[in-house]
Amino acid sequence: GRRRCDTCVDALMCRLYRADRLRQGDRIRSRMLAIGAPAPDFALDDDEGRTVSLADLLKSGPIVLYFYPADFTPVCTAQACMFRDWTHELGAKGVRVVGISPQGAASKRSFKQTHTLGFTLLADPRKEVIRAYGAAFVFGLFTRRVTYLIEPSEHGGVIADRVVADLRVGPHRAFVERVIARAAGVAP
């Protein structure tokens, strides 16, 4: 059935996603980084205004790096809260969560405080990292809901798993369950 969108941003994202999906078909997934590909390094400001690089993040082990369209929109908030609810279990397996969207550090700080998010949020206002990770669509105007598992390697980081689901949080939840199973050495 049809989904009723809660905000103008969500409604626009739904229309653009459907149009892009019809036009592009299965090529959408091909824009994402492939499993086994090197993870592009980056340096972005976090919710406190400090510059954080991928290399810094990987020093403490693997990360779940997720991209989302905007702070405070209903689906993005649901996604962030889903990651918040799994942060402890992921942390127990040595995996950290990091989120990236185009809004600035002040928005990230407010979003993090409002929803008690216990993980790092990074600001990518120029969408350079968003593009590098294949999370931009419709001529780079919007950010897709894309999640990667990045594991440390001798040359930086490597993509170990990935998922894209623009309008639903469920596939990202299933992704987190796979990451936990993988970290525990259990076949998902």
Side-chain angles (χ1 to χ4, degrees):
R2 296 195 81 163
R3 178 183 174 275
R4 183 183 163 279
C5 298
D6 297 345
T7 67
C8 293
V9 171
D10 283 343
L12 179 61
M13 288 290 291
C14 284
R15 283 194 299 275
L16 290 171
Y17 172 77
R18 286 186 190 112
D20 195 48
R21 189 87 170 150
L22 289 172
R23 188 171 51 82
Q24 303 269 347
D26 288 332
R27 289 187 300 164
I28 288 173
R29 277 194 174 78
S30 68
R31 292 186 211 147
M32 294 177 65
L33 298 175
I35 293 173
D41 198 12
F42 58 79
L44 295 172
D45 288 344
D46 70 6
D47 45 271
E48 297 299 320
R50 295 176 300 231
T51 301
V52 177
S53 72
L54 177 63
D56 294 335
L57 294 167
L58 291 172
K59 285 178 184 173
S60 61
I63 64 168
V64 167
L65 182 66
Y66 82 98
F67 294 87
Y68 63 102
D71 299 331
F72 294 106
T73 61
V75 179
C76 294
T77 299
Q79 182 183 25
C81 290
M82 181 275 299
F83 280 117
R84 175 200 62 207
D85 296 345
W86 284 95
T87 299
H88 178 73
E89 198 162 346
L90 285 164
K93 302 294 182 195
V95 180
R96 293 177 51 198
V97 175
V98 178
I100 297 178
S101 77
Q103 296 73 41
S107 178
K108 301 275 168 278
R109 188 168 36 262
S110 179
F111 187 54
K112 186 173 179 174
Q113 289 171 348
T114 300
H115 298 290
T116 334
L117 305 176
F119 52 85
T120 302
L121 296 176
L122 301 174
D124 186 14
R126 289 183 276 170
K127 299 183 182 178
E128 293 170 350
V129 177
I130 290 166
R131 281 191 295 277
Y133 278 80
F137 84 117
V138 186
F139 307 112
L141 297 174
F142 296 96
T143 302
R144 308 198 64 208
R145 203 172 308 286
V146 172
T147 304
Y148 291 100
L149 171 62
I150 303 175
E151 294 180 338
S153 73
E154 61 185 57
H155 300 293
V158 63
I159 304 300
D161 201 352
R162 64 187 192 160
V163 68
V164 61
D166 291 305
L167 305 174
R168 298 169 300 139
V169 175
H172 297 274
R173 184 177 304 109
F175 175 86
V176 169
E177 292 168 353
R178 279 197 320 266
V179 168
I180 290 170
R182 177 187 183 112
V186 178

